[in-house]
């Protein structure tokens, strides 16, 4: 018989999944436009930002995922991460203060681009810790093989829905205007921040058995062991295929 999940779970899943993806849309599709429009960033600078952010996301997800497994706690990482994630999105509005000076000299351009890349990595750290590592683990903890497909179905459709929300809501604003970006960063940052507070009341940690877990380092390295890879070939082939797809 299919295990019934509470309305509270479905509400938390829908909100955190949707607005987490909304924040990722801003990071993945708007920051490159931001530093190009406001600071005249070169293609090389934009590529460096994307590469640095990707590396930060990967390392963070591995580190925080292994740590939350060791502790058996997800809620604190989700809620605390969303709070810091919202604040880090706000920080781009502060960087935007430098944009009027970008037309006056190369120093302002270099500073604006450098701060954007740095802030992007900080934002990615909090976002990946909260969403990629902790939220997805919480979803797995809270479901079983009878109902996980339904939950993952909702989670999987949110990236597309988030694109519609962000692009639909922002299509009437002028990207050439400095004030446009303050509106985007302000609204998204506030929503993510408020959601972090709400999570303390919405999310319930599922019971996670940590008795069989080793140390944090052991948990981190477990998935890279040749014996583990050989014993789960289909999984790792799927991951490799998805990596190629992502590229």
């Amino acid at each position: 018989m299919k295990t019934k999940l509470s309305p509270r779970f479905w509400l938390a899943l829908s909100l955190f999944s949707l607005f987490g993806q909304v924040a990722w849309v801003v990071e993945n599709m708007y920051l490159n436009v931001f530093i190009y429009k406001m600071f005249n960033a070169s293609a090389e600078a934009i590529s460096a930002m994307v590469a640095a952010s990707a590396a930060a996301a990967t390392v963070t997800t591995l580190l925080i995922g292994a740590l939350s497994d060791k502790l058996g706690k997800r809620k604190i990482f989700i809620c605390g991460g969303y709070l810091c994630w919202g604040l880090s999105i706000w920080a781009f509005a502060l960087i935007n203060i430098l944009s009027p000076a970008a037309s006056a000299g190369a120093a302002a351009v270099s500073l604006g681009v450098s701060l954007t890349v740095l802030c992007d990595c900080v934002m990615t750290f909090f976002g990946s810790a909260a969403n990629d590592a902790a939220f997805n683990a919480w979803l797995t903890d809270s479901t079983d093989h009878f109902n996980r497909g339904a939950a993952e179905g909702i989670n999987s459709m949110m990236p597309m829905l988030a694109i519609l929300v962000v692009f639909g809501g922002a299509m009437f604003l002028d990207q050439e205007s400095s004030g446009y970006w303050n509106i985007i960063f302000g609204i998204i940052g506030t929503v993510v921040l408020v959601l972090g507070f709400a999570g303390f009341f919405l999310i319930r940690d599922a019971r996670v058995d940590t008795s069989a877990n080793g140390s944090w380092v052991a948990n981190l390295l477990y998935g890279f062991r040749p014996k583990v890879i050989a014993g789960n070939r289909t999984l790792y082939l799927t991951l490799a295929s998805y990596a190629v797809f992502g590229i």
Side-chain angles (χ1 to χ4, degrees), residues 1-5 10 143-151:
M1 181 179 293
K2 186 174 181 179
T3 308
K4 186 177 181 180
L5 296 169
W10 292 112
T143 56
D144 55 33
H145 65 280
F146 291 108
N147 54 31
R148 189 167 295 135

Side-chain angles (χ1 to χ4, degrees), residues 78-135:
I78 298 172
C79 299
Y82 269 71
L83 289 173
C84 295
W85 198 3
L87 292 175
S88 65
I89 295 173
W90 273 355
F92 289 104
L94 298 178
I95 295 174
N96 195 31
I97 295 174
L98 297 170
S99 61
S103 59
V109 171
S110 178
L111 179 60
V113 170
S114 298
L115 288 175
T116 301
V117 173
L118 177 62
C119 194
D120 183 20
C121 290
V122 172
M123 183 184 79
T124 298
F125 171 79
F126 291 123
S128 292
N131 189 271
D132 297 343
F135 174 75

Side-chain angles (χ1 to χ4, degrees), residues 209-223:
D209 183 10
T210 61
S211 59
N213 288 348
S215 67
W216 180 25
V217 175
N219 288 346
L220 178 63
L221 298 179
Y222 176 81

Side-chain angles (χ1 to χ4, degrees), residues 18-244:
L18 174 60
F19 290 105
Q21 291 301 324
V22 165
W24 281 139
V25 167
V26 173
E27 197 258 357
N28 292 330
M29 299 185 178
Y30 268 73
L31 284 189
N32 55 345
V33 180
F34 168 68
I35 60 171
Y36 176 74
K37 295 285 188 182
M38 296 295 102
F39 296 106
N40 302 311
S42 65
E44 290 78 8
I46 294 173
S47 296
M49 181 182 70
V50 173
S53 177
T58 302
V59 173
T60 299
T61 303
L62 291 171
L63 292 176
I64 301 301
L67 180 59
S68 68
D69 285 343
K70 174 62 180 175
L71 299 177
K73 303 291 184 181
R74 315 295 188 189
K75 180 177 179 177
I76 187 63
F77 290 102
I78 298 172
C79 299
Y82 269 71
L83 289 173
C84 295
W85 198 3
L87 292 175
S88 65
I89 295 173
W90 273 355
F92 289 104
L94 298 178
I95 295 174
N96 195 31
I97 295 174
L98 297 170
S99 61
S103 59
V109 171
S110 178
L111 179 60
V113 170
S114 298
L115 288 175
T116 301
V117 173
L118 177 62
C119 194
D120 183 20
C121 290
V122 172
M123 183 184 79
T124 298
F125 171 79
F126 291 123
S128 292
N131 189 271
D132 297 343
F135 174 75
N136 284 298
W138 169 79
L139 191 158
T140 302
D141 295 339
S142 303
T143 56
D144 55 33
H145 65 280
F146 291 108
N147 54 31
R148 189 167 295 135
E152 285 289 359
I154 292 177
N155 193 38
S156 297
M157 77 178 187
M158 290 306 180
M160 182 60 67
L161 184 58
I163 292 174
L164 297 175
V165 170
V166 174
F167 280 83
M171 64 183 297
F172 301 106
L173 300 176
D174 180 13
Q175 294 185 2
E176 305 293 337
S177 170
S178 178
Y180 161 90
W181 297 102
N182 292 339
I183 293 173
I184 289 290
F185 296 137
I187 292 176
I188 302 302
T190 300
V191 170
V192 173
L193 185 68
V194 169
L195 194 57
F197 279 113
F200 287 106
F201 305 96
L202 277 177
I203 293 177
R204 288 178 176 171
D205 264 329
R207 291 184 179 180
V208 179
D209 183 10
T210 61
S211 59
N213 288 348
S215 67
W216 180 25
V217 175
N219 288 346
L220 178 63
L221 298 179
Y222 176 81
F224 296 97
R225 294 176 181 173
K227 182 178 179 181
V228 174
I229 296 174
N232 298 272
R233 293 179 181 178
T234 302
L235 172 61
Y236 284 85
L237 179 60
T238 302
L239 291 174
S241 301
Y242 193 76
V244 173

